[in-house]
Amino acid sequence: MDERSPEIADVLAGVGPRLRDLRTRRGVTLADLSESTGISKSTLSRLESGRRRATLELLLPIARAHRVPLDELVGAPETGDPRVRIPPRVLPGRTVIPLTRQPGALQAYKMVIEPSHGTPDPQTHEGYEWMYVLAGRLRLVLAEHDLVLKAGEAAEFDTRVPHWFGAAGDEPVEILSLFGRQGERMHVRARPRRAAGKG
């Protein structure tokens, strides 16, 4: 008789929902995954619903197809590795890479924003944001201000002020963003050089 500890049973029980969530978040169908892994659609479906036990023979090709480490599929606990392995979120016109793992007041992101020739549509929401341009040029529309920040420049603002940001020109822009949902101000303060001579 196969005996398992409650911890192992809990891990195995969570594999199916985790596989389904990963596949649907990436917009991959069972047919797509079946083609890339060589595992039948019915087996994949049973695995996701918990009716088929997860094995290395099944999980390894799925991990390779999704390009994620195996421990992400089984939800293995962290073992002291400080590296952040959160998959990037690919959104229309931009890729957002979370740099913080735990939920909390302050979150860090790297963003790669593709050029867009649409009209800025400023938005408002609770929080406070600090941005640093890593590469390219960033256009920041903040209330009545329309600024362009170059690599090495930073800006911070209350997100309750109408704002929009995107790539300035025809090249993507890479930025580091620190965002506090409760409106905490960042410890680093800087303003764009273009605005330095005003007021």
Side-chain angles (χ1 to χ4, degrees):
M1 186 174 182
D2 189 17
E3 295 182 0
R4 286 188 168 84
S5 70
E7 291 82 4
I8 293 176
D10 288 345
V11 168
L12 291 176
V15 168
R18 193 172 288 107
L19 291 175
R20 183 186 295 111
D21 180 63
L22 178 62
R23 178 178 60 79
T24 55
R25 276 192 289 114
R26 296 187 171 207
V28 177
T29 66
L30 282 173
D32 294 335
L33 190 57
S34 175
E35 184 175 344
S36 61
T37 61
I39 302 170
S40 71
K41 285 198 303 182
S42 62
T43 297
L44 290 170
S45 178
R46 291 200 307 274
L47 189 61
E48 289 186 358
S49 66
R51 290 179 289 127
R52 175 71 182 261
R53 180 182 298 171
T55 65
L56 278 177
E57 289 78 9
L58 293 173
L59 293 180
L60 283 173
I62 294 174
R64 281 196 295 268
H66 287 309
R67 297 183 181 179
V68 298
L70 186 61
D71 60 359
E72 185 171 324
L73 298 185
V74 298
E78 293 292 329
T79 56
D81 187 340
R83 290 174 292 184
V84 178
R85 291 194 178 107
I86 304 174
R89 295 201 303 267
V90 180
L91 305 170
R94 68 186 59 195
T95 299
V96 180
I97 305 164
L99 301 177
T100 42
R101 185 170 18 220
Q102 300 299 329
L106 188 63
Q107 297 292 309
Y109 304 91
K110 178 182 176 183
M111 296 186 199
V112 180
I113 306 172
E114 298 297 327
S116 171
H117 300 291
T119 302
D121 181 22
Q123 303 290 324
T124 64
H125 53 87
E126 286 293 323
Y128 203 86
E129 190 153 7
W130 178 89
M131 293 178 171
Y132 178 82
V133 182
L134 297 167
R137 296 189 306 145
L138 177 76
R139 182 183 178 191
L140 173 62
V141 176
L142 183 64
E144 72 276 12
H145 303 287
D146 192 339
L147 308 168
V148 174
L149 283 70
K150 298 176 290 187
E153 293 188 309
E156 63 171 341
F157 52 92
D158 188 324
T159 55
R160 292 173 296 182
V161 175
H163 63 281
W164 175 94
F165 57 89
D170 297 321
E171 299 294 329
V173 61
E174 295 183 25
I175 65 171
L176 177 65
S177 169
L178 299 179
F179 175 70
R181 290 191 179 278
Q182 302 305 319
E184 298 87 349
R185 288 179 176 266
M186 311 309 165
H187 291 296
V188 179
R189 299 183 62 86
R191 65 178 181 173
R193 290 180 195 145
R194 192 167 168 179
K198 295 183 179 180

